[in-house]
Structure formats: structure tokens, C-alpha cells
mmCIF file of all heavy atoms in Angstrom:
data_model
loop_
_atom_site.group_PDB
_atom_site.id
_atom_site.type_symbol
_atom_site.label_atom_id
_atom_site.label_comp_id
_atom_site.label_asym_id
_atom_site.label_seq_id
_atom_site.Cartn_x
_atom_site.Cartn_y
_atom_site.Cartn_z
ATOM 1 N N ILE D 17 18.146 20.807 25.028
ATOM 2 C CA ILE D 17 19.103 20.126 25.916
ATOM 3 C C ILE D 17 19.364 18.705 25.434
ATOM 4 O O ILE D 17 20.495 18.209 25.474
ATOM 5 C CB ILE D 17 18.562 20.124 27.361
ATOM 6 C CG1 ILE D 17 18.608 21.547 27.929
ATOM 7 C CG2 ILE D 17 19.349 19.190 28.262
ATOM 8 C CD1 ILE D 17 17.897 21.702 29.242
ATOM 9 N N ALA D 18 18.272 18.038 24.928
ATOM 10 C CA ALA D 18 18.451 16.672 24.427
ATOM 11 C C ALA D 18 19.403 16.660 23.226
ATOM 12 O O ALA D 18 20.283 15.785 23.117
ATOM 13 C CB ALA D 18 17.098 16.081 24.036
ATOM 14 N N ALA D 19 19.221 17.663 22.307
ATOM 15 C CA ALA D 19 20.103 17.729 21.150
ATOM 16 C C ALA D 19 21.547 18.000 21.585
ATOM 17 O O ALA D 19 22.494 17.384 21.076
ATOM 18 C CB ALA D 19 19.616 18.841 20.216
ATOM 19 N N LYS D 20 21.707 18.895 22.561
ATOM 20 C CA LYS D 20 23.056 19.189 23.053
ATOM 21 C C LYS D 20 23.681 17.975 23.742
ATOM 22 O O LYS D 20 24.873 17.717 23.625
ATOM 23 C CB LYS D 20 23.013 20.373 24.015
ATOM 24 C CG LYS D 20 22.780 21.704 23.317
ATOM 25 C CD LYS D 20 22.830 22.850 24.310
ATOM 26 C CE LYS D 20 22.641 24.187 23.601
ATOM 27 N NZ LYS D 20 22.683 25.324 24.534
ATOM 28 N N GLU D 21 22.829 17.203 24.461
ATOM 29 C CA GLU D 21 23.341 16.005 25.137
ATOM 30 C C GLU D 21 23.845 14.978 24.128
ATOM 31 O O GLU D 21 24.873 14.321 24.346
ATOM 32 C CB GLU D 21 22.262 15.393 26.026
ATOM 33 C CG GLU D 21 22.014 16.181 27.301
ATOM 34 C CD GLU D 21 20.918 15.566 28.144
ATOM 35 O OE1 GLU D 21 20.250 14.633 27.644
ATOM 36 O OE2 GLU D 21 20.716 16.017 29.294
ATOM 37 N N ALA D 22 23.106 14.845 22.996
ATOM 38 C CA ALA D 22 23.552 13.910 21.953
ATOM 39 C C ALA D 22 24.888 14.354 21.373
ATOM 40 O O ALA D 22 25.808 13.539 21.164
ATOM 41 C CB ALA D 22 22.489 13.828 20.847
ATOM 42 N N TYR D 23 24.992 15.672 21.154
ATOM 43 C CA TYR D 23 26.249 16.196 20.633
ATOM 44 C C TYR D 23 27.384 15.993 21.635
ATOM 45 O O TYR D 23 28.502 15.595 21.272
ATOM 46 C CB TYR D 23 26.064 17.679 20.306
ATOM 47 C CG TYR D 23 27.335 18.363 19.872
ATOM 48 C CD1 TYR D 23 27.862 18.158 18.586
ATOM 49 C CD2 TYR D 23 28.015 19.212 20.747
ATOM 50 C CE1 TYR D 23 29.031 18.777 18.196
ATOM 51 C CE2 TYR D 23 29.189 19.827 20.362
ATOM 52 C CZ TYR D 23 29.685 19.616 19.088
ATOM 53 O OH TYR D 23 30.864 20.235 18.708
ATOM 54 N N LEU D 24 27.062 16.250 22.901
ATOM 55 C CA LEU D 24 28.066 16.072 23.943
ATOM 56 C C LEU D 24 28.474 14.607 24.078
ATOM 57 O O LEU D 24 29.644 14.316 24.337
ATOM 58 C CB LEU D 24 27.522 16.582 25.294
ATOM 59 C CG LEU D 24 27.382 18.107 25.425
ATOM 60 C CD1 LEU D 24 26.689 18.458 26.729
ATOM 61 C CD2 LEU D 24 28.746 18.792 25.366
ATOM 62 N N LYS D 25 27.493 13.677 23.889
ATOM 63 C CA LYS D 25 27.823 12.244 23.977
ATOM 64 C C LYS D 25 28.821 11.858 22.884
ATOM 65 O O LYS D 25 29.814 11.139 23.136
ATOM 66 C CB LYS D 25 26.533 11.418 23.826
ATOM 67 C CG LYS D 25 26.705 9.922 24.024
ATOM 68 C CD LYS D 25 27.025 9.621 25.471
ATOM 69 C CE LYS D 25 27.006 8.120 25.717
ATOM 70 N NZ LYS D 25 28.023 7.387 24.990
ATOM 71 N N LYS D 26 28.551 12.370 21.656
ATOM 72 C CA LYS D 26 29.455 12.099 20.556
ATOM 73 C C LYS D 26 30.842 12.670 20.832
ATOM 74 O O LYS D 26 31.877 12.025 20.613
ATOM 75 C CB LYS D 26 28.870 12.690 19.270
ATOM 76 C CG LYS D 26 29.717 12.466 18.032
ATOM 77 C CD LYS D 26 29.057 13.089 16.829
ATOM 78 C CE LYS D 26 29.942 12.917 15.575
ATOM 79 N NZ LYS D 26 29.331 13.571 14.399
ATOM 80 N N TYR D 27 30.862 13.906 21.368
ATOM 81 C CA TYR D 27 32.138 14.569 21.658
ATOM 82 C C TYR D 27 32.877 13.857 22.791
ATOM 83 O O TYR D 27 34.110 13.717 22.767
ATOM 84 C CB TYR D 27 31.858 16.030 22.036
ATOM 85 C CG TYR D 27 33.089 16.888 22.061
ATOM 86 C CD1 TYR D 27 33.721 17.267 20.878
ATOM 87 C CD2 TYR D 27 33.622 17.314 23.265
ATOM 88 C CE1 TYR D 27 34.854 18.062 20.901
ATOM 89 C CE2 TYR D 27 34.761 18.105 23.300
ATOM 90 C CZ TYR D 27 35.371 18.478 22.107
ATOM 91 O OH TYR D 27 36.497 19.248 22.126
ATOM 92 N N GLU D 28 32.119 13.346 23.761
ATOM 93 C CA GLU D 28 32.733 12.610 24.874
ATOM 94 C C GLU D 28 33.370 11.312 24.381
ATOM 95 O O GLU D 28 34.439 10.916 24.846
ATOM 96 C CB GLU D 28 31.695 12.315 25.947
ATOM 97 C CG GLU D 28 31.335 13.527 26.790
ATOM 98 C CD GLU D 28 30.234 13.228 27.782
ATOM 99 O OE1 GLU D 28 29.715 12.080 27.744
ATOM 100 O OE2 GLU D 28 29.880 14.125 28.570
ATOM 101 N N ASP D 29 32.690 10.629 23.447
ATOM 102 C CA ASP D 29 33.277 9.392 22.894
ATOM 103 C C ASP D 29 34.591 9.704 22.179
ATOM 104 O O ASP D 29 35.574 8.951 22.313
ATOM 105 C CB ASP D 29 32.283 8.743 21.916
ATOM 106 C CG ASP D 29 31.049 8.234 22.636
ATOM 107 O OD1 ASP D 29 31.138 8.015 23.862
ATOM 108 O OD2 ASP D 29 29.991 8.091 21.989
ATOM 109 N N MET D 30 34.579 10.784 21.413
ATOM 110 C CA MET D 30 35.800 11.161 20.717
ATOM 111 C C MET D 30 36.912 11.492 21.718
ATOM 112 O O MET D 30 38.067 11.092 21.550
ATOM 113 C CB MET D 30 35.516 12.368 19.810
ATOM 114 C CG MET D 30 36.716 12.818 18.970
ATOM 115 S SD MET D 30 36.288 14.171 17.878
ATOM 116 C CE MET D 30 35.992 15.460 19.054
ATOM 117 N N LEU D 31 36.559 12.224 22.802
ATOM 118 C CA LEU D 31 37.544 12.556 23.831
ATOM 119 C C LEU D 31 38.065 11.307 24.535
ATOM 120 O O LEU D 31 39.247 11.210 24.876
ATOM 121 C CB LEU D 31 36.929 13.507 24.861
ATOM 122 C CG LEU D 31 36.681 14.948 24.400
ATOM 123 C CD1 LEU D 31 35.978 15.742 25.490
ATOM 124 C CD2 LEU D 31 37.992 15.634 24.041
ATOM 125 N N ALA D 32 37.156 10.321 24.759
ATOM 126 C CA ALA D 32 37.581 9.083 25.421
ATOM 127 C C ALA D 32 38.586 8.334 24.557
ATOM 128 O O ALA D 32 39.579 7.777 25.058
ATOM 129 C CB ALA D 32 36.365 8.210 25.705
ATOM 130 N N LYS D 33 38.336 8.310 23.213
ATOM 131 C CA LYS D 33 39.274 7.653 22.311
ATOM 132 C C LYS D 33 40.646 8.338 22.356
ATOM 133 O O LYS D 33 41.691 7.681 22.462
ATOM 134 C CB LYS D 33 38.704 7.696 20.892
ATOM 135 C CG LYS D 33 39.572 6.979 19.864
ATOM 136 C CD LYS D 33 38.929 7.048 18.498
ATOM 137 C CE LYS D 33 39.829 6.355 17.453
ATOM 138 N NZ LYS D 33 39.233 6.448 16.109
ATOM 139 N N LYS D 34 40.627 9.686 22.302
ATOM 140 C CA LYS D 34 41.888 10.424 22.365
ATOM 141 C C LYS D 34 42.582 10.203 23.703
ATOM 142 O O LYS D 34 43.807 10.100 23.776
ATOM 143 C CB LYS D 34 41.624 11.911 22.150
ATOM 144 C CG LYS D 34 41.242 12.261 20.723
ATOM 145 C CD LYS D 34 41.084 13.764 20.565
ATOM 146 C CE LYS D 34 40.766 14.134 19.123
ATOM 147 N NZ LYS D 34 40.601 15.590 18.943
ATOM 148 N N LYS D 35 41.767 10.093 24.748
ATOM 149 C CA LYS D 35 42.331 9.873 26.075
ATOM 150 C C LYS D 35 43.044 8.531 26.147
ATOM 151 O O LYS D 35 44.123 8.412 26.741
ATOM 152 C CB LYS D 35 41.213 9.946 27.117
ATOM 153 C CG LYS D 35 41.708 9.885 28.549
ATOM 154 C CD LYS D 35 40.560 10.042 29.514
ATOM 155 C CE LYS D 35 41.058 9.968 30.960
ATOM 156 N NZ LYS D 35 39.944 10.106 31.913
ATOM 157 N N ARG D 36 42.407 7.460 25.543
ATOM 158 C CA ARG D 36 43.040 6.136 25.533
ATOM 159 C C ARG D 36 44.367 6.184 24.794
ATOM 160 O O ARG D 36 45.378 5.620 25.242
ATOM 161 C CB ARG D 36 42.105 5.107 24.883
ATOM 162 C CG ARG D 36 40.963 4.662 25.766
ATOM 163 C CD ARG D 36 40.319 3.410 25.212
ATOM 164 N NE ARG D 36 39.801 3.614 23.857
ATOM 165 C CZ ARG D 36 38.593 4.086 23.574
ATOM 166 N NH1 ARG D 36 37.760 4.415 24.556
ATOM 167 N NH2 ARG D 36 38.197 4.241 22.332
ATOM 168 N N GLU D 37 44.355 6.873 23.625
ATOM 169 C CA GLU D 37 45.603 6.975 22.860
ATOM 170 C C GLU D 37 46.685 7.707 23.669
ATOM 171 O O GLU D 37 47.844 7.287 23.705
ATOM 172 C CB GLU D 37 45.327 7.719 21.552
ATOM 173 C CG GLU D 37 44.431 6.937 20.594
ATOM 174 C CD GLU D 37 44.085 7.753 19.360
ATOM 175 O OE1 GLU D 37 44.462 8.953 19.326
ATOM 176 O OE2 GLU D 37 43.438 7.206 18.435
ATOM 177 N N LYS D 38 46.278 8.802 24.335
ATOM 178 C CA LYS D 38 47.249 9.544 25.137
ATOM 179 C C LYS D 38 47.744 8.728 26.311
ATOM 180 O O LYS D 38 48.914 8.782 26.673
ATOM 181 C CB LYS D 38 46.626 10.851 25.619
ATOM 182 C CG LYS D 38 46.449 11.877 24.524
ATOM 183 C CD LYS D 38 45.890 13.179 25.069
ATOM 184 C CE LYS D 38 45.742 14.209 23.949
ATOM 185 N NZ LYS D 38 45.178 15.477 24.442
ATOM 186 N N ASN D 39 46.834 7.929 26.917
ATOM 187 C CA ASN D 39 47.244 7.085 28.044
ATOM 188 C C ASN D 39 48.268 6.042 27.607
ATOM 189 O O ASN D 39 49.228 5.751 28.333
ATOM 190 C CB ASN D 39 46.030 6.404 28.665
ATOM 191 C CG ASN D 39 45.175 7.375 29.462
ATOM 192 O OD1 ASN D 39 45.671 8.396 29.932
ATOM 193 N ND2 ASN D 39 43.893 7.078 29.601
ATOM 194 N N GLU D 40 48.031 5.443 26.394
ATOM 195 C CA GLU D 40 48.998 4.469 25.883
ATOM 196 C C GLU D 40 50.354 5.126 25.643
ATOM 197 O O GLU D 40 51.408 4.574 25.981
ATOM 198 C CB GLU D 40 48.464 3.862 24.582
ATOM 199 C CG GLU D 40 47.257 2.955 24.797
ATOM 200 C CD GLU D 40 46.677 2.456 23.485
ATOM 201 O OE1 GLU D 40 47.204 2.875 22.416
ATOM 202 O OE2 GLU D 40 45.711 1.677 23.504
#
């Protein structure tokens, strides 16, 4: 679960960046 959480954290950061670009 810890390994998956790290992967999910990385994926969430990438999604947040894409979200900011889409919001702009």
C-alpha cells in the first residue's frame, strides 16, 4: 500500500499540473 501510495502521489501531482493547465 505504501508503494502504491507513492505511485499515486506522483500520479496526483501530474494530474494537478494537467488540471492547472486545463483550468487556465
Side-chain angles (χ1 to χ4, degrees):
I17 290 170
K20 287 183 178 180
E21 286 179 351
Y23 175 76
L24 289 173
K25 185 69 172 64
K26 181 180 178 182
Y27 193 72
E28 285 176 356
D29 293 339
M30 183 177 67
L31 288 176
K33 183 179 178 182
K34 289 184 177 180
K35 186 177 179 181
R36 284 195 301 273
E37 293 175 354
K38 288 183 179 179
N39 287 335
E40 291 175 357

